[in-house]
C-alpha cells in the first residue's frame, strides 16, 4: 500500500504497511481500485453530459463511492467489493446510453474498460497491482497536483453527498466531479492542474452552500445555545459524525423512550439548530474530538452512532455498543441502512435500553454554540462599531481538523495567547483544543464564537465577505487571520476553496501535506503566501506586530 492522503501519514511520508488510521493493505488496495473504477465511470458520465445523457443515480453514487475513500470513513472490505462491482455495472449501462445518444465511448484510459475480479481476494490483488498513485503521473510535481485535486474531490464528494441527503443538489457540482475525475486519467500540464485544483475549491463553495441551505432550510438557523458538558441520570445514545438528518430521525424515534441523546465531536453544533434543540431529551455533549474516541467511548454507558467520518477501530470494551450508518463501515460492527429515505434505529435504541446509562448527575459546565452566519451577521452593526472604535483589534479564524500529533498543542497555546481585544471564530473539530476555555466577551459579544462544523466554513466565508463589504475592502484587507489545522480531505477541499477565493496568508499546520512537493509548495507560497504555522509567539507577533 501507499497512502499519504492525510496529515498523520507515517513518518510524514506515506503509510506503506498499515495505515496510522487503522487501514490495512487490503482496504488500501480496494480504495485504490474503487478510485480507478470511478475514474472509468466518470469518463463515461463526462462524455454523456456532452450528448445530454445525465443520470442522477450515477451522480449520487459517484459521490458516495468517492466519499467512502475519505480518511476514517469505511474500513469494511466487503462494502468496497460491492461498490467496485456497482461502479462497473453503472459504467456499462451508462456506456450503452451514451453510445445510443451518439457520444464518445472509445476511451484509451484503462479505467474505462477495467473488469473487476469476482472475489474479494481477487479485487484486493487487482488493487495492490495497480500502484495507483504512480499511475497518476511519473513527474512528481504533476503527480502531487493530481493528488491534491483527487483528495479535494474526496472532500467535495462528501459535502455534495451530505447536501443531497437533505435534498440539495446542483448538477454543476456533479458535472465538475465527473469532469475532474476523468481529466485525472490523462496528461495535464502544471498550469492546467493548478486550475483544476482551484476549480475544485470553487465548486466546493457551491457544495457547502447547498449543505448550508439543506441544514438551515430543514432545521432552522443556529441560535446561541449553551450545551452542558456533563450528564444526567438516564439511558443514553451518543451521536458522532456530521449528519444532521440522522440525528433528527434518531431524536424523533427516541422522544418517548426515556433515552437522552448526547453529541460527540463534530455533532456539537447541532445543539444550536431550532428544529433539533426543541427535543427535551437532546441533552448535552460528551467527549472531545475524534482522535480521543478510544479513550472516551469506553466511558459512555450507552449506545453509540457513527454517522460519517471519523471512526477509529472500536475497542472490544465498547464495540458491541457501536452502530454505523451512511457510508461509515467497520467489519463486524452493526450497520443501520436506509430504506425509502428513512432509517430504523431500533437496534441502536434497544442496545441503549439494555445498557446501564448514566446513574448520576455531573455538572461540567457548558459551552456556547450557534454562532453561524445568521447570528453573527445579526450583530454585524455592533461588531463593525467595535472594530471602528478599536474595541476589537483583530479577528482570528482558528479552525479545522483535530488529530493526535503533539504539535497540535500549538492551537491551544495560540488561543490562550491571543490578546483580549481580539475575537476568535472557530469551526470543525480542531476547536476541541480550546472549546471550553472561558475567554470573556467584547462589548457583550463572546470572544470565542463557534461557527459550527467544518462545512460551516461556508458560514465563516459569508461573515468575512459581509465584513469586507461593510468596510469597503477585500477579505485580504480585513483585520482577519486564518490559522487552520488539517487532517483529512474535507480540510483539503476547504483550503482549495479559500485559495480559489484569492484568500492569502493562511497559516496551515500542524504539518504540511506529504503529497505536496517542494515545487508545488512554491507555487502556493508565491501565489497565496500560504505559510506553515511556527510558534504561537512568532505567528502572533508576525500578525499583530
Ligand atoms: Fe495513512 Fe492517512 Fe492513508 Fe490512513 S488515510 S493510511 S493514516 S495516510
Ligand atoms: Fe474533524 Fe474528522 Fe476533519 Fe469535520 S471529524 S473536521 S477530522
Amino acid at each position: 500500500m501507499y497512502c499519504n492522503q492525510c496529515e498523520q501519514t507515517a513518518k510524514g511520508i506515506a503509510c506503506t504497511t498499515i495505515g496510522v488510521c487503522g487501514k490495512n493493505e487490503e482496504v488500501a488496495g480496494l480504495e485504490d481500485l474503487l478510485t480507478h473504477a470511478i475514474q472509468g465511470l466518470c469518463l463515461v458520465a463526462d462524455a454523456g453530459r456532452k450528448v445530454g445523457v445525465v443520470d442522477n443515480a450515477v451522480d449520487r453514487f459517484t459521490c458516495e463511492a468517492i466519499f467512502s475513500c475519505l480518511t476514517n470513513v469505511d474500513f469494511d472490505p466487503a462494502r468496497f467489493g460491492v461498490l467496485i462491482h456497482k461502479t462497473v455495472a453503472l459504467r456499462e449501462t451508462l456506456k450503452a446510453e451514451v453510445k445510443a445518444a451518439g457520444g464518445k465511448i472509445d476511451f484509451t484510459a484503462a479505467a474505462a474498460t477495467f473488469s473487476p475480479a469476482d472475489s474479494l481476494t481477487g479485487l484486493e490483488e487487482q488493487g495492490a497491482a495497480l500502484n495507483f498513485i504512480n499511475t497518476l503521473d511519473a513527474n512528481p510535481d504533476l503527480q502531487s497536483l493530481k493528488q491534491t485535486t483527487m483528495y479535494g474531490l474526496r472532500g467535495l464528494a462528501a459535502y455534495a453527498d451530505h447536501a443531497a441527503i437533505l435534498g440539495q443538489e446542483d448538477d454543476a457540482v456533479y458535472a465538475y466531479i465527473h469532469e475532474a475525475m476523468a481529466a485525472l486519467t490523462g496528461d495535464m500540464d502544471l498550469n492546467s492542474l493548478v486550475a483544476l485544483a482551484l476549480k475544485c475549491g470553487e465548486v466546493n463553495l457551491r457544495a457547502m452552500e447547498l449543505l448550508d441551505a439543506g441544514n438551515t432550510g430543514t432545521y432552522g438557523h443556529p441560535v446561541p445555545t449553551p450545551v452542558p458538558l456533563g450528564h444526567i441520570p438516564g439511558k443514553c445514545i451518543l451521536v458522532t459524525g456530521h449528519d444532521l438528518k440522522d440525528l433528527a430521525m434518531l431524536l424523533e424515534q427516541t422522544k418517548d423512550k426515556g433515552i437522552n441523546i448526547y453529541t460527540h465531536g463534530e455533532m456539537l453544533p447541532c445543539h444550536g439548530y431550532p428544529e433539533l434543540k426543541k427535543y427535551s431529551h437532546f441533552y448535552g455533549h460528551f467527549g472531545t474530538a475524534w482522535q480521543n474516541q478510544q479513550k472516551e467511548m469506553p466511558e459512555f454507558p450507552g449506545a453509540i452512532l457513527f454517522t460519517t467520518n471519523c471512526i477509529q477501530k472500536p475497542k472490544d470494551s465498547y464495540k458491541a455498543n457501536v452502530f454505523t450508518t451512511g457510508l461509515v463501515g467497520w467489519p463486524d460492527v452493526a450497520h443501520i441502512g436506509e430504506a425509502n429515505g428513512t432509517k430504523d434505529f431500533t437496534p441502536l435504541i434497544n442496545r441503549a435500553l439494555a445498557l446501564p446509562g448514566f446513574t448520576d448527575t455531573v455538572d461540567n459546565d457548558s459551552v456556547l454554540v450557534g454562532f453561524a452566519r445568521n447570528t453573527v451577521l445579526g450583530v454585524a452593526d455592533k461588531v463593525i462599531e467595535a472594530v471602528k472604535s478599536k474595541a476589537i483589534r483583530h479577528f482570528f479564524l482558528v479552525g479545522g481538523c483535530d488529530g493526535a500529533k503533539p504539535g497540535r498543542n500549538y492551537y491551544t497555546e495560540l488561543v490562550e495567547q491571543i490578546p483580549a481585544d481580539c475575537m476568535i471564530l472557530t469551526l470543525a473539530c480542531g476547536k476541541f483544543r480550546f472549546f471550553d476555555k472561558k475567554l470573556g466577551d467584547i462589548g457583550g459579544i463572546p470572544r470565542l464564537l463557534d461557527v459550527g462544523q467544518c462545512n460551516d466554513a461556508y458560514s465563516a466565508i459569508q461573515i468575512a465577505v459581509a465584513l469586507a463589504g461593510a468596510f469597503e475592502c477585500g477579505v485580504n484587507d480585513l483585520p482577519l487571520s486564518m490559522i487552520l489545522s488539517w487532517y483529512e480531505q474535507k480540510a483539503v477541499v476547504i483550503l482549495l476553496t479559500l485559495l480559489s477565493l484569492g484568500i492569502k496568508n493562511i497559516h496551515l499546520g500542524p504539518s504540511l501535506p506529504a503529497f505536496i512537493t517542494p515545487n508545488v509548495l512554491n507555487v502556493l507560497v508565491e501565489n497565496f503566501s500560504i505559510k506553515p504555522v511556527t510558534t504561537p509567539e512568532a505567528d502572533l507577533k508576525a500578525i499583530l506586530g
Side-chain angles (χ1 to χ4, degrees), residues 395-418:
F395 296 90
F396 288 85
L397 175 68
V398 188
C401 308
D402 205 352
K405 283 208 182 139
R408 288 181 182 266
N409 284 342
Y410 165 92
Y411 296 93
T412 321
E413 290 164 19
L414 178 86
V415 165
E416 284 168 352
Q417 291 178 32
I418 288 174

Side-chain angles (χ1 to χ4, degrees), residues 497-508:
T497 298
L498 296 172
L499 299 183
S500 77
L501 290 167
I503 292 174
K504 298 193 172 173
N505 293 312
I506 293 171
H507 296 247
L508 183 64

Side-chain angles (χ1 to χ4, degrees), residues 1-10 13-16 18-24 28 31 69-72 75 487 489:
M1 71 183 279
Y2 190 93
C3 184
N4 61 358
Q5 71 170 343
C6 84
E7 188 270 340
Q8 66 177 359
T9 194
I13 301 171
C15 297
T16 53
I18 176 113
V20 177
C21 62
K23 180 160 84 183
N24 61 25
E31 282 184 3
C69 298
L70 192 122
T71 298
N72 292 73
F75 293 83
Y487 166 60
Q489 298 80 52

Side-chain angles (χ1 to χ4, degrees), residues 159 242 266 290 309-310 400-402 428-430 453-455 487-488 490-491:
Y159 291 143
H242 300 72
E266 279 276 69
W290 67 272
N309 54 314
C310 285
C401 308
D402 205 352
C429 62
Q453 296 181 334
C454 47
N455 42 286
Y487 166 60
E488 35 74 22
K490 289 176 173 178

Side-chain angles (χ1 to χ4, degrees), residues 143-325:
Q143 185 184 98
S144 166
L145 282 166
K146 281 195 170 183
Q147 282 187 273
T148 305
T149 299
M150 179 80 68
Y151 302 147
L153 280 163
R154 289 186 181 165
L156 167 59
Y159 291 143
D161 180 62
H162 288 318
I165 286 170
L166 292 163
Q168 294 288 331
E169 297 177 80
D170 180 347
D171 192 59
V173 174
Y174 298 135
Y176 168 77
I177 292 174
H178 287 148
E179 185 195 330
M181 282 298 266
L184 292 175
T185 63
D187 290 334
M188 292 178 81
D189 63 22
L190 191 117
N191 287 340
S192 24
L193 278 170
V194 170
L196 191 72
L198 292 177
K199 182 79 192 280
C200 188
E202 186 187 318
V203 174
N204 184 56
L205 184 65
R206 175 70 181 134
M208 292 194 299
E209 180 184 34
L210 290 168
L211 179 51
D212 178 280
N215 284 337
T216 59
T218 316
Y219 307 111
H221 282 280
V223 293
T225 306
V227 184
L229 298 178
H231 56 253
I232 49 173
K235 305 283 182 184
C236 50
I237 293 176
L238 187 62
V239 186
T240 190
H242 300 72
D243 197 305
L244 273 61
K245 187 174 176 188
D246 285 336
L247 175 62
M249 287 188 285
L250 180 65
L251 285 165
E252 189 57 29
Q253 291 176 32
T254 49
K255 66 180 176 191
D256 306 317
K257 299 264 192 294
I259 297 172
N260 293 314
I261 307 294
Y262 294 78
T263 52
H264 174 268
E266 279 276 69
M267 296 302 278
L268 168 64
C270 296
H271 289 276
Y273 287 85
E275 288 301 312
L276 300 174
K277 65 181 279 186
K278 71 180 183 188
Y279 292 93
S280 58
H281 66 301
F282 187 26
Y283 180 69
H285 186 81
F286 176 91
T288 52
W290 67 272
Q291 77 280 357
N292 298 323
Q293 64 190 260
Q294 290 168 331
K295 266 186 265 143
E296 295 170 350
M297 288 184 177
E299 305 297 319
F300 190 78
I304 302 167
L305 178 67
F306 277 86
T307 67
T308 63
N309 54 314
C310 285
I311 191 169
Q312 291 182 298
K313 183 180 183 179
K315 291 197 164 172
D316 288 344
S317 59
Y318 66 94
K319 188 174 175 184
N321 304 343
V322 173
F323 294 74
T324 59
T325 191

Side-chain angles (χ1 to χ4, degrees), residues 39-40 42-48 50-51 91-92 94-100 102-114 185:
Q39 286 188 309
C42 288
L43 278 163
V44 180
D46 184 46
K50 296 189 172 89
V51 289
R91 184 194 74 200
E92 289 308 302
L94 195 62
K95 224 183 235 177
E97 286 174 42
V98 176
K99 187 178 180 198
K104 173 185 165 77
I105 56 159
D106 57 337
F107 304 99
T108 47
T113 50
F114 152 71
T185 63

